[in-house]
Amino acid sequence: MEKKVLKYITNIEVVIYLALMVILMVILIFSTLELAYLIIDALFFDDTMLKLETKGILASFEFFLLILIGLELMETIKSFLETRKIQVEIVIILAIIAVARKIIIIDPKTISNDILLGIGVVIFALTAGYFFIKKADSLTPERAAEPKKE
């Protein structure tokens, strides 16, 4: 009886993950099209010279990184569906991109030094975590037998 219930719950989980994947794909497709439209409009059709302003460029970078975060999130879901394990490496990459996005859009004139220091500590912790995960992966027996990807 317990196995049937667990199988039922697992099937519901898979359906929810697939639904989230479809929703995320739709959002990413439309976001990419909107980003392309905004860039083409700013470059060729906007008379206000937005294309040369720092704010416009930073807004484009912010939008671009937001799409990358969505792609990494989709990769996390896909990886979970394939292996039934959360890939910590992908989650850390997602966090690094999210923090990088935040750094790009921060106005250093309006933020305190303590917050900047905190962001620096978070970046260091994430990068150290990523380094140690990669190091541990290279030391595991099943990974050591695999050929290195260059």
Side-chain angles (χ1 to χ4, degrees):
M1 179 68 176
E2 283 182 31
K3 287 185 180 183
K4 284 184 180 181
V5 172
L6 288 175
K7 185 171 172 83
Y8 183 71
I9 291 171
T10 302
N11 289 340
I12 291 173
E13 265 184 346
V14 169
V15 169
I16 291 171
Y17 275 116
L18 290 173
L20 287 174
M21 184 79 97
V22 169
I23 292 168
L24 189 55
M25 283 191 299
V26 169
I27 290 171
L28 288 173
I29 289 168
F30 282 107
S31 296
T32 304
L33 292 173
E34 183 177 357
L35 177 62
Y37 170 77
L38 290 174
I39 290 173
I40 290 170
D41 184 53
L43 287 175
F44 299 112
F45 303 111
D46 195 358
D47 294 333
T48 62
M49 298 294 281
L50 176 66
K51 59 186 170 189
L52 298 178
E53 290 181 14
T54 305
K55 274 188 174 180
I57 293 170
L58 287 177
S60 297
F61 286 164
E62 179 183 2
F63 205 163
F64 184 83
L65 287 171
L66 196 56
I67 292 170
L68 279 180
I69 289 170
L71 285 172
E72 287 298 327
L73 189 56
M74 198 164 61
E75 182 67 27
T76 303
I77 295 170
K78 186 175 84 175
S79 172
F80 177 78
L81 287 172
E82 290 172 349
T83 64
R84 295 285 187 248
K85 295 178 186 173
I86 296 290
Q87 300 290 326
V88 178
E89 180 181 330
I90 297 172
V91 174
I92 289 180
I93 290 171
L94 183 66
I96 290 171
I97 294 172
V99 172
R101 176 182 170 266
K102 198 68 175 169
I103 290 169
I104 288 173
I105 64 172
I106 281 178
D107 183 6
K109 297 173 191 158
T110 62
I111 198 160
S112 73
N113 291 336
D114 293 340
I115 293 176
L116 287 175
L117 181 63
I119 290 172
V121 169
V122 168
I123 291 170
F124 179 76
L126 288 170
T127 349
Y130 183 76
F131 171 79
F132 288 123
I133 286 171
K134 292 299 269 184
K135 188 82 167 163
D137 277 352
S138 69
L139 297 177
T140 56
E142 65 267 6
R143 294 282 183 152
E146 292 178 6
K148 298 262 183 194
K149 293 179 184 176
E150 304 267 341

